[in-house]
Amino acid sequence: MVFKRAKARWFKKPKDDPNAKQSSSETKDEQDDNVNQLLGATIAAINVTKDLVPIDLAKGILGTVANILSIAQSVIKNKSDFLVIARKCKTIRKVLERATKNATEDDLRGSLGDALSELNISVNSINSDVVSRKEQGFWKRLFSVTIDCDQIAGWEKDLDRVLVLFNISGFRMQWQCCQYQYPKVGSHFGRWCMSLNAFRYRPKEPPSRPSMFYGRDDLVAELTNLVVNDKHIALIGPGGMGKSSLAKAILNEKLVQERFADRRYFVTYDGLDPSTITFDAFMTRFVGVLGIELAGADPVDQISSFLRVSSALVVLDNAETFEEASVSLAISKIPPAIAEIADIPGVILILTSRSRRNAPDVQWITKDVLPLDMSSAQAVFFQIYHHASRSGAEEDIKDLLKELDFHPLSISLLANAAQQNGWSLATLLKRWNNKHSGVLNQGVGKLQSFSFTMRLSLGSPSVQTLREDGRRALAVIAFLPQGLNEDLASDLLPSLLQVDTICNVLCRQSLVYRQDGFIRMLVPIRHFVRDSLPPLDATCLREIRAFYYHTVRQCSDAQDQHAGIFISDHLNIEHMVAFDLARIPDGTQETCNICCWFFCA
């Protein structure tokens, strides 16, 4: 590769050549055309191979690889830099075609299954990064995006690491033949292979207690008591609420350490795509943290045998990834596997999830992880922000923290933005009032960007099945300051025929929540919906206006149905009137009449 680049420089035209710029442009266009042709040919070859390989996991890997290349072909600007990944994908196709030839599901018990599982994780990780980069371009209205060369080099290195495993797999097959024909030589070769296993498979240390962790002491004590008394826990809440941090804190409590010692495991399913995750990928993450190697046909039985040795605490982090799995085999096999593991005496499970679709047949104690209190929110903010003392600025920041609904991730992102940019509190307040959710995007990844964590929730298969109606419902809930009155939902929005079902799905995904008869959303989520999703459409707006205006006109002194709605939804009605006064000149007379009635009633 180095030699080729050097050779290219020898034929470079001098800078003073008047045709150099034009030739360079033509050369770049030719390069892009060549790369596009290579990508197209590779995708076609991969799709053919996908139909031929006999192993489902290999089919899924090839499908993911084809998706990566399709995105590269359509939206990636620096295609020539991506060429190295395209070539690796060609290698993957050849390796899988060779490695799975005449293979059966029984062959997945040993090293071939391990190599396929590792490759599946690697290509899923690359796919997630590429899809994320594409979505960032979409939100910024860009037709093409550039991927950092260092990131591409990292992908290349990881694929090289995984592809080596297929050579080891081949060596092990040779060892089995060698051991049969030449027992003495075969035994030496076998010990070498086992040393590879000992090097690769080691249990992972549980994560430390988070340093940035406030306001959860009572909850940690309550949950710790449940854990040491053999209760399975499901921690539920929207992204950025601190579910993972809470689970890590529990893992490091003294009572938990005394009860479970070094058998405390934190299995994260972050970075996997719910639409493509397989049972094998689920199991690979699990056994990788336990530090064991699968060697039989039934992975659940092997995991169970390992866990039965003594008490164990297992955290399944970002469980919405597999709870929302849309691959039929994953849907049918993962929940029973979790239930079987949960039934092992002495084994305790903690789930962290945005979804409420937790595995059935497990007696979960569900805990909604709530926002912080004011004092804890201030502690988080001033732990990060140092351009003003807490004692002198506590009062100044209170209203802003309330506007964030005391959402931990939003507070952290806002404090980091102010600290890194050297903003005064006055400047920070001005930035928030002008940009709202735009201030909460300071980088890439769910810990640095609120938009990123929101896109993860909106991208879940359950939400995607709602299509346009799901986005319309979110826009309505974000528009109404009280949220959507659940009893009146179908009357307010007759065009949303399945509005109750839609709200149920959004609640299960922690995008909205139920409170006092209304469907509400956290303020940071409301600002994201207003700033990043299509605005409230004219049909829904017309329906809401018609219903509320009719209610005001029909309201009488008697406490009838209309008066009850007038009382319960007064903030929504007021907001609708204010919206019309500001934006709809043609409806001014009717709106003024409603306004007079509303404020004189």
Side-chain angles (χ1 to χ4, degrees):
M1 181 63 71
V2 176
F3 176 76
K4 288 182 179 179
R5 288 176 181 168
K7 188 174 181 180
R9 286 197 294 271
W10 297 341
F11 291 92
K12 203 173 192 179
K13 290 195 174 187
K15 291 183 180 178
D16 58 353
D17 189 332
N19 297 317
K21 186 173 182 180
Q22 180 180 353
S23 299
S24 174
S25 176
E26 291 173 356
T27 301
K28 186 180 184 304
D29 290 339
E30 290 174 0
Q31 288 177 345
D32 286 345
D33 287 340
N34 291 337
V35 174
N36 272 327
Q37 290 176 14
L38 174 63
L39 290 172
T42 306
I43 292 169
I46 286 171
N47 286 329
V48 171
T49 305
K50 183 176 69 172
D51 293 333
L52 297 176
V53 295
I55 303 297
D56 287 338
L57 181 54
K59 290 179 185 289
I61 292 170
L62 290 170
T64 304
V65 168
N67 187 61
I68 293 169
L69 296 181
S70 296
I71 295 174
Q73 191 179 36
S74 61
V75 301
I76 290 180
K77 188 175 183 180
N78 53 329
K79 290 183 173 62
S80 58
D81 294 329
F82 201 81
L83 194 58
V84 65
I85 301 301
R87 288 171 178 153
K88 290 298 175 189
C89 292
K90 286 182 65 177
T91 302
I92 289 172
R93 183 194 71 79
K94 294 176 181 178
V95 166
L96 293 186
E97 185 177 33
R98 184 196 71 235
T100 62
K101 187 177 182 180
N102 300 322
T104 66
E105 292 295 330
D106 289 339
D107 294 325
L108 295 179
R109 298 174 184 175
S111 55
L112 176 59
D114 297 332
L116 286 170
S117 296
E118 287 287 331
L119 180 58
N120 187 54
I121 292 172
S122 183
V123 298
N124 269 306
S125 176
I126 295 172
N127 185 60
S128 296
D129 291 340
V130 172
V131 170
S132 172
R133 197 73 186 90
K134 174 186 175 183
E135 289 177 348
Q136 289 172 28
F138 172 77
W139 293 113
K140 294 178 181 179
R141 305 295 193 272
L142 299 176
F143 295 105
S144 61
V145 295
T146 301
I147 294 185
D148 183 74
C149 292
D150 290 338
Q151 188 173 29
I152 292 174
W155 293 340
E156 180 187 13
K157 184 177 180 181
D158 191 55
L159 289 175
D160 283 336
R161 173 189 65 82
V162 176
L163 288 171
V164 169
L165 302 179
F166 287 91
N167 293 334
I168 296 172
S169 171
F171 289 152
R172 286 175 178 158
M173 292 177 187
Q174 294 173 23
W175 166 53
Q176 291 173 351
C177 297
C178 184
Q179 190 178 39
Y180 178 76
Q181 295 178 10
Y182 309 102
K184 188 172 182 179
V185 176
S187 63
H188 289 297
F189 194 70
R191 281 196 293 272
W192 176 77
C193 286
M194 286 188 287
S195 70
L196 284 174
N197 287 339
F199 178 77
R200 283 185 62 212
Y201 291 92
R202 295 178 180 175
K204 291 186 178 180
E205 291 289 327
S208 303
R209 181 186 175 94
S211 57
M212 191 76 63
F213 191 74
Y214 297 94
R216 308 289 196 194
D217 292 346
D218 291 342
L219 182 57
V220 169
E222 176 190 351
L223 297 174
T224 298
N225 183 59
L226 292 172
V227 166
V228 297
N229 283 286
D230 299 332
K231 304 297 183 184
H232 303 300
I233 299 171
L235 302 176
I236 309 299
M241 196 58 83
K243 304 179 294 294
S244 299
S245 295
L246 183 57
K248 292 173 184 177
I250 295 168
L251 277 176
N252 288 279
E253 283 293 288
K254 184 178 179 180
L255 289 175
V256 172
Q257 290 176 333
E258 291 173 351
R259 166 76 187 276
F260 300 102
D262 61 351
R263 288 171 62 84
R264 294 169 290 128
Y265 305 106
F266 190 86
V267 188
T268 180
Y269 289 92
D270 192 18
L272 296 178
D273 186 347
S275 64
T276 59
I277 187 174
T278 62
F279 180 69
D280 293 313
F282 171 80
M283 281 298 168
T284 298
R285 287 284 179 102
F286 205 126
V287 300
V289 173
L290 297 184
I292 62 176
E293 179 179 11
L294 296 178
D298 187 350
V300 179
D301 183 62
Q302 294 173 69
I303 290 174
S304 299
S305 298
F306 174 82
L307 292 175
R308 279 193 176 91
V309 174
S310 64
S311 297
L313 174 60
V314 181
V315 176
L316 301 177
D317 188 46
N318 298 114
E320 68 274 357
T321 302
F322 56 79
E323 290 172 340
E324 287 289 304
S326 57
V327 179
S328 58
L329 196 59
I331 294 173
S332 63
K333 295 179 72 173
I334 292 176
I338 294 174
E340 185 172 335
I341 293 168
D343 285 339
I344 300 172
V347 173
I348 305 303
L349 300 181
I350 298 177
L351 282 182
T352 74
S353 182
R354 304 177 189 207
S355 171
R356 296 181 182 274
R357 295 176 58 181
N358 312 129
D361 302 321
V362 178
Q363 293 185 352
W364 301 107
I365 293 181
T366 301
K367 286 289 180 181
D368 290 299
V369 181
L370 303 176
L372 299 171
D373 57 46
M374 174 63 82
S375 177
S376 301
Q378 290 174 326
V380 170
F381 183 88
F382 287 106
Q383 180 72 12
I384 299 169
Y385 181 76
H386 304 296
H387 294 294
S389 66
R390 179 174 178 177
S391 59
E394 273 189 344
E395 291 300 319
D396 298 331
I397 204 67
K398 277 185 176 181
D399 289 340
L400 180 55
L401 296 178
K402 287 179 183 177
E403 275 204 56
L404 293 172
D405 261 349
F406 306 111
H407 180 249
L409 176 62
S410 298
I411 296 169
S412 174
L413 291 171
L414 201 65
N416 272 301
Q419 177 64 26
Q420 292 167 11
N421 291 291
W423 294 340
S424 66
L425 288 180
T427 302
L428 172 59
L429 292 171
K430 183 178 179 180
R431 292 283 194 278
W432 170 254
N433 290 329
N434 290 339
K435 297 181 67 177
H436 289 122
S437 66
V439 187
L440 304 180
N441 299 317
Q442 299 300 313
V444 178
K446 65 180 187 178
L447 297 181
Q448 299 183 61
S449 168
F450 186 74
S451 292
F452 187 93
T453 196
M454 280 300 302
R455 287 196 295 273
L456 288 177
S457 294
L458 293 173
S460 71
S462 291
V463 176
Q464 288 292 303
T465 58
L466 300 177
R467 299 184 182 277
E468 187 64 29
D469 283 350
R471 291 188 286 272
R472 293 175 70 200
L474 285 170
V476 168
I477 298 168
F479 174 76
L480 298 171
Q482 290 178 268
L484 180 62
N485 188 321
E486 196 164 9
D487 291 336
L488 303 175
S490 58
D491 298 321
L492 277 162
L493 301 166
S495 65
L496 281 177
L497 301 179
Q498 302 294 324
V499 64
D500 293 333
T501 300
I502 293 169
C503 289
N504 287 338
V505 172
L506 297 177
C507 281
R508 282 200 299 269
Q509 293 305 118
S510 300
L511 285 165
V512 299
Y513 61 95
R514 288 181 165 91
Q515 185 181 62
D516 300 330
F518 284 82
I519 306 291
R520 306 176 188 268
M521 60 175 53
L522 292 171
V523 172
I525 297 178
R526 176 184 293 122
H527 283 303
F528 171 83
V529 171
R530 288 177 175 176
D531 296 342
S532 303
L533 297 188
L536 183 63
D537 67 273
T539 300
C540 289
L541 190 61
R542 186 168 55 251
E543 291 172 343
I544 294 170
R545 179 188 299 112
F547 180 85
Y548 279 143
Y549 279 22
H550 175 75
T551 296
V552 173
R553 283 194 297 266
Q554 297 299 317
C555 189
S556 63
D557 293 334
Q559 292 295 310
D560 58 11
Q561 178 187 3
H562 298 291
I565 295 172
F566 186 90
I567 294 169
S568 66
D569 289 40
H570 66 284
L571 291 179
N572 286 346
I573 297 172
E574 181 179 343
H575 181 70
M576 188 71 255
V577 171
F579 179 89
D580 283 352
L581 285 173
R583 293 172 176 82
I584 310 180
D586 293 341
T588 300
Q589 186 58 51
E590 180 189 14
T591 302
C592 287
N593 292 339
I594 294 294
C595 186
C596 291
W597 209 108
F598 180 80
F599 288 106
C600 294

